[in-house]
Amino acid sequence: MKVIETAVAVACLLGCGNSSLLASDTLTVRHIRSFGEQGQNVGQFKFPLGMIVDSRDRRIIADAQNNRSQICAEFGNCQAFGRRGRGPGNFRNPHGVAVDAQDRIYTVETHTNRVQIFSSNGDLLGGFGEWGSCLGCFNLPGDVTIDNRGRILVADERNYRVQTCTQEGVCTAFGSKGTLPGAFNWPRAIVVDTADRIFVADRFNGRVQICNDQGICSVMGSEGSEVGQFDGPVELDLNLEGSLVVADRENHRVQVCGLQGDCRAFGSFGTGPGQFNHPLGVAVDSKGRIFVADSDNHRIQLFEVVEPAGINPGHAGAWFNPETPGQGQLIDVEAEGKFLFMSWFTFTEAAAENPNEQHWFTAQGTYSDNTADLVVYESLGGRFDDPQAISTEPVGTATLSFSDCGNGRLAYVIDSWGLQGSFPLLRAIPGTENVCEKLNGNFTGSLQPNDGRDGAWYDENTPGQGFLIDAHANPEGEDFIFVAWFTYGGDSDSGQRWLTAQGPLVDSAADIVVYETLGGRFDDPQTSETRAVGMMTIDFMDCSNALLSYSISDEELAGMINIKRAIPGTEVLCQQITGSE
């Protein structure tokens, strides 16, 4: 099985796919499994909404447009109760669900404006409520929870209030429509902690409010897309540490926040594992795992929280931001000195005098745990495969963080361009995280010699130029190699040029196609164009030396060069794998 099916896919290699929000300001999670799909059978869903976990770790799920609730074991073995209707025990668009200390199930429905109470098996026990604004009446109730005294609290959305009710439906209320603390604009979800603090998802105010019984509230967050901000918070739960878990609907993610508003997030828009299309329900089980009702994908996803992986030599290789086609980062790691080197091939920015031209940076610095603090450099004045001296100057800073062996985040400040930002990073070649996982003790397979080729290589006769290599020893088929060549001699104003090459790696040698990618824009999704421009042959003689030949056909350039490791010590992993010195 080839890692990349066609050579022309080089642009997609570093520019296609979907991202997950995972880095230093995010929660590090591992996707365990998903269950469910759109449908009407038991175990299928149609827009699942509210969700809760009972004392037996069963998931009780409001299956909204199937007009029922489902009780599901961890692996999706479900039973359903209720059907479409307004009579007792039936449902019209159930939204919120809760359980009490006896595992009795409480539901609210937006179309019937009532609370219903069921046994742990789904047998109707009672209920109360009707449409209106009186106490004990509701107008689109969005959620329900049970406090430490067994009282029923209801997020009464279109009455812009919270009601606290007895089992018989005798209620008190606080709240009104507005933007001040204690006022709401569609209170959508509600949960109570062990200290009787009431957390309310104030949906269209883009915030969470923390209230007491008297309706005195403080505010967490504001409307927006940054971590700690919310765009349509619609469901809440508490984790084992007492932090708030928030389904951040329009941001297509989940946030976990401390009481001071210090949040971390995971997820992004999409259909893959760890991606969401309007997450509308969250629940935490007795193991601290997080279940997410991924509503518009009609499924439930399960995650466990994990500690971020520390940087190791297995993080070397090619990485990319899925939102910026044809651009990428290549990394080399030297473990003994905790040194990290990064090359970044990109384009000039939109406001540049000559926008959309090829451009590249390098960055280097030391790392601790899962984070590297780097200085960004720009090198100018060189000549293609020529010893002409260059000028290298610092132009900014960057912070590179990894949440695991396949996900990271790069935050940058380019002072010389007046730009700053951040974006997620994913592995460019699927499967290349095996080395990192092996060093972390999570991969039981054997490493092969080509697993040790990754990193920075250079010709000592051409200062300021070099090659960054990512080799993948693929146990299911051909080994694969990707090479980024940072050089000079293009038509750009800076004189910088970068090329890429990719293809099969047979034993220790590769004959691969060279590509040039043009027309992109710095940290921008503008589409670039990639075309084949030549051939490259690379033959690794040992862990530190290789012979590389090239021909750039349309420019009649050809040559042969000896390349070696750019960073002393990065050959150690290769030597350990091959048993060489």
Side-chain angles (χ1 to χ4, degrees):
M1 181 183 72
K2 289 187 177 181
V3 178
I4 302 298
E5 292 298 329
T6 64
V8 179
V10 65
C12 198
L13 175 64
L14 290 164
C16 299
N18 293 302
S19 65
S20 295
L21 179 63
L22 293 168
S24 58
D25 60 350
T26 68
L27 186 69
T28 305
V29 297
R30 178 178 292 114
H31 178 266
I32 298 175
R33 62 171 290 130
S34 300
F35 68 89
E37 60 184 353
Q38 186 171 6
Q40 297 179 354
N41 294 329
V42 174
Q44 296 178 320
F45 303 98
K46 192 173 182 183
F47 300 102
L49 299 182
M51 181 167 52
I52 197 70
V53 175
D54 70 7
S55 66
R56 289 177 279 176
D57 272 345
R58 303 182 307 166
R59 267 62 59 190
I60 296 89
I61 303 160
D63 189 6
Q65 292 193 22
N66 280 325
N67 294 292
R68 66 187 179 188
S69 292
Q70 296 199 56
I71 303 171
C72 299
E74 176 177 329
F75 298 110
N77 183 20
C78 302
Q79 67 180 76
F81 65 94
R83 61 182 181 179
R84 180 184 173 90
R86 295 181 178 273
N90 295 328
F91 296 108
R92 287 298 309 276
N93 203 31
H95 263 50
V97 61
V99 294
D100 65 13
Q102 288 76 44
D103 282 341
R104 289 176 297 206
I105 300 168
Y106 299 74
T107 65
V108 292
E109 307 153 64
T110 57
H111 286 26
T112 57
N113 297 290
R114 65 185 175 187
V115 175
Q116 295 198 81
I117 307 170
F118 298 86
S119 73
S120 61
N121 293 319
D123 299 320
L124 181 66
L125 300 177
F128 60 89
E130 59 182 313
W131 180 85
S133 59
C134 65
L135 293 177
C137 299
F138 305 103
N139 189 353
L140 300 181
D143 197 16
V144 59
T145 194
I146 310 301
D147 72 8
N148 302 299
R149 288 174 275 178
R151 300 181 302 174
I152 304 165
L153 281 75
V154 180
D156 190 4
E157 285 187 287
R158 287 295 297 274
N159 283 323
Y160 308 101
R161 65 186 180 184
V162 170
Q163 294 201 58
T164 303
C165 305
T166 68
Q167 297 284 324
E168 294 75 30
V170 178
C171 304
T172 61
F174 67 83
S176 59
K177 186 175 182 180
T179 59
L180 295 175
F184 305 102
N185 191 358
W186 287 62
R188 177 62 177 78
I190 190 166
V191 70
V192 179
D193 70 6
T194 56
D196 281 330
R197 286 177 289 231
I198 303 167
F199 298 83
V200 183
D202 190 3
R203 179 178 177 181
F204 291 123
N205 280 329
R207 64 189 184 184
V208 174
Q209 296 201 55
I210 307 171
C211 307
N212 63 15
D213 274 345
Q214 288 73 47
I216 299 173
C217 304
S218 61
V219 171
M220 175 192 295
S222 60
E223 189 167 15
S225 60
E226 297 297 320
V227 174
Q229 296 181 316
F230 306 101
D231 189 356
V234 291
E235 181 71 337
L236 305 173
D237 201 4
L238 295 160
N239 67 12
L240 301 185
E241 291 75 39
S243 295
L244 192 65
V245 183
V246 185
D248 191 3
R249 173 190 167 116
E250 300 301 332
N251 285 321
H252 305 287
R253 65 185 179 188
V254 173
Q255 296 200 61
V256 178
C257 303
L259 297 183
Q260 304 304 314
D262 50 318
C263 300
R264 293 185 293 165
F266 68 93
S268 62
F269 177 75
T271 60
Q275 297 179 319
F276 307 113
N277 188 353
H278 294 123
L280 298 186
V282 289
V284 179
D285 71 6
S286 64
K287 299 176 183 177
R289 301 176 302 179
I290 301 173
F291 291 82
V292 182
D294 186 8
S295 186
D296 286 14
N297 285 325
H298 310 286
R299 65 184 178 182
I300 308 299
Q301 296 196 62
L302 170 60
F303 302 89
E304 65 177 345
V305 179
V306 297
E307 290 298 319
I311 294 173
N312 67 47
H315 283 99
W319 297 75
F320 76 114
N321 173 12
E323 302 301 324
T324 53
Q327 307 181 45
Q329 290 73 28
L330 285 98
I331 293 167
D332 201 359
V333 178
E334 193 279 303
E336 184 174 353
K338 293 188 176 297
F339 179 81
L340 188 145
F341 176 83
M342 182 185 77
S343 58
W344 181 354
F345 56 97
T346 182
F347 303 91
T348 52
E349 47 100 15
E353 182 177 349
N354 297 285
N356 309 332
E357 292 187 342
Q358 283 192 331
H359 208 85
W360 54 266
F361 299 100
T362 59
Q364 64 184 51
T366 57
Y367 65 86
S368 177
D369 297 326
N370 71 321
T371 302
D373 294 313
L374 310 173
V375 177
V376 179
Y377 295 90
E378 184 179 53
S379 297
L380 303 173
R383 185 178 298 165
F384 181 83
D385 192 16
D386 187 276
Q388 177 169 302
I390 63 163
S391 172
T392 298
E393 298 291 338
V395 294
T397 58
T399 300
L400 179 61
S401 302
F402 295 98
S403 58
D404 57 26
C405 290
N407 296 273
R409 193 169 191 86
L410 180 66
Y412 65 86
V413 178
I414 308 297
D415 295 317
S416 60
W417 290 2
L419 297 176
Q420 63 181 8
S422 67
F423 50 79
L425 292 177
L426 301 178
R427 290 279 187 177
I429 304 174
T432 51
E433 66 273 12
N434 288 349
V435 178
C436 176
E437 296 286 10
K438 182 74 170 181
L439 297 177
N440 283 340
N442 298 324
F443 177 66
T444 58
S446 299
L447 298 182
Q448 303 301 314
N450 284 333
D451 284 315
R453 311 291 187 196
D454 298 353
W457 298 70
Y458 81 116
D459 173 12
E460 58 187 356
N461 295 314
T462 55
Q465 306 183 44
F467 305 84
L468 272 291
I469 292 172
D470 192 354
H472 175 43
N474 182 15
E476 300 179 16
E478 289 181 319
D479 289 1
F480 183 85
I481 189 169
F482 176 81
V483 180
W485 185 355
F486 296 85
T487 183
Y488 301 90
D491 295 328
S492 67
D493 183 61
S494 69
Q496 289 186 328
R497 186 184 193 186
W498 52 264
L499 303 166
T500 57
Q502 65 174 35
L505 177 59
V506 181
D507 295 326
S508 60
D511 293 305
I512 51 181
V513 179
V514 178
Y515 296 89
E516 186 170 49
T517 302
L518 302 172
R521 184 176 295 167
F522 178 80
D523 193 14
D524 187 280
Q526 176 168 305
T527 302
S528 57
E529 296 183 2
T530 297
R531 64 186 182 98
V533 295
M535 294 295 297
M536 175 187 293
T537 298
I538 184 167
D539 188 0
F540 294 96
M541 293 177 284
D542 55 33
C543 289
S544 300
N545 298 276
L547 181 65
L548 186 148
S549 61
Y550 65 88
S551 62
I552 309 300
S553 54
D554 59 348
E555 300 176 48
E556 297 184 353
L557 297 172
M560 179 179 295
I561 52 180
N562 292 298
I563 61 174
K564 59 191 293 187
R565 294 275 185 177
I567 304 171
T570 54
E571 74 282 359
V572 171
L573 176 62
C574 176
Q575 292 173 344
Q576 292 172 344
I577 295 172
T578 60
S580 61
E581 293 295 332

